[in-house]
Amino acid sequence: MPDIPDPTSADGSLGGVHTGWLDAPMPREMAHRAETIGVAKAGLSAPSTIALGVLAGVFVSIGAMLSTVVTAGGDLPFGVSRLLGGLVFSLGLVLVVVGGAELFTGNNLIVMAFASRRITFTALVRNWVLVYVANFFGAVFTALLVFWSGQYRSGTGVVGRRALDTAQTKSSLGFIEALVLGILANVLVCLAVWLCLAARTVTDKIVAIVGPITAFVAAGFEHSIANMYFLPLGIFVKRWATPGFWGAVHSQPTDYPSIGWGHFLVSNLLPVTIGNVIGGGGMVGLVYWFIYLRPKRTGVVPPASPKPESD
């Protein structure tokens, strides 16, 4: 009978041996990959970081736009509608991971490289700030383009009504509620990114992404970058929609009192962003760093120094 490999080997593989190139990396190897990727991301030039950050804002907004269309109108049960919305929203992170882009919430995992002292705190904050601002511009610009396209009038206004309802719900959250929902959302987003570290093919990455992202959207958790699309779109529709749209949806702007830049930035984006950092950086990144990357004591007691001989 062949020997059974030791699953606790130092390199995280089964007995330290991979039997073929299709074998998925084990979690310890994934942690080292995350650390190395964090170093590379922190070392990107500012122009590249900003450009890739804008792309990520656009990509996530495309997923959010598709989710809005799919869940607009219809008579589907609540849970089924949320499930479908989550499935199509996954497109956003698929584009980010496969297409290549810098997403603030996924980049919370760079904290693993910082905890291992392979990057400085300044480099960590620099990446997060540049990517966050770039994500914001990419998402808001996409929301503006979608509004100008007149898509909100689709389906006799049901798409615009869905955008307004989404923005109103998100803007009405309390600070603590939004923070906790942000924590839960980025735990799942960073777990999706983490699972991608074990992927060998594009198909692997897509499969790894769909489950966690569908879960966070269906559950109603809060993602700061997605909200950079959802809430500005609601603001644009509220302020600039045509009179014909309001007549079609039998509503008016005053029916959405919480939709505005102040509610968006202070009541939603601020607590959700803090929650995303706690969930992704703390509850995923630092947890896996603690398990696989933290310096370990050897348990060996050093020999005592010899006593000097007396005369």
Side-chain angles (χ1 to χ4, degrees), residues 119-180:
I119 64 171
T120 64
F121 181 72
T122 301
L124 173 71
V125 173
R126 169 186 172 274
N127 178 271
W128 283 0
V129 170
L130 287 177
V131 171
Y132 188 85
V133 173
N135 288 169
F136 183 90
F137 279 103
V140 174
F141 181 65
T142 305
L144 193 57
L145 288 179
V146 169
F147 174 79
W148 282 340
S149 74
Q151 187 210 46
Y152 70 94
R153 297 192 298 268
S154 300
T156 321
V158 294
V159 172
R161 180 65 177 264
R162 176 61 179 163
L164 287 166
D165 290 343
T166 299
Q168 174 71 17
T169 299
K170 291 178 177 293
S171 298
S172 301
L173 294 171
F175 191 95
I176 298 301
E177 186 180 7
L179 185 145
V180 174

Side-chain angles (χ1 to χ4, degrees), residues 53-137:
V54 171
L55 281 179
V58 173
F59 292 162
V60 170
S61 297
I62 291 172
M65 177 274 296
L66 186 56
S67 180
T68 299
V69 172
V70 168
T71 57
D75 299 318
L76 290 175
F78 173 79
V80 175
S81 177
R82 297 296 288 265
L83 176 63
L84 291 176
L87 282 171
V88 299
F89 183 90
S90 303
L91 172 65
L93 192 60
V94 169
L95 292 173
V96 168
V97 172
V98 179
E102 292 290 299
L103 181 64
F104 170 75
T105 47
N107 280 16
N108 286 170
L109 290 177
I110 297 177
V111 74
M112 297 176 73
F114 168 70
S116 294
R117 299 183 180 179
R118 293 189 59 186
I119 64 171
T120 64
F121 181 72
T122 301
L124 173 71
V125 173
R126 169 186 172 274
N127 178 271
W128 283 0
V129 170
L130 287 177
V131 171
Y132 188 85
V133 173
N135 288 169
F136 183 90
F137 279 103

Side-chain angles (χ1 to χ4, degrees), residues 281-292:
M283 298 177 67
V284 179
L286 289 181
V287 167
Y288 277 121
W289 175 86
F290 178 81
I291 295 170
Y292 294 115

Side-chain angles (χ1 to χ4, degrees), residues 8 23 145 169 197 199 215 241 264 270 291:
T8 61
D23 288 350
L145 288 179
T169 299
L197 297 172
F264 165 44
L270 176 61
I291 295 170

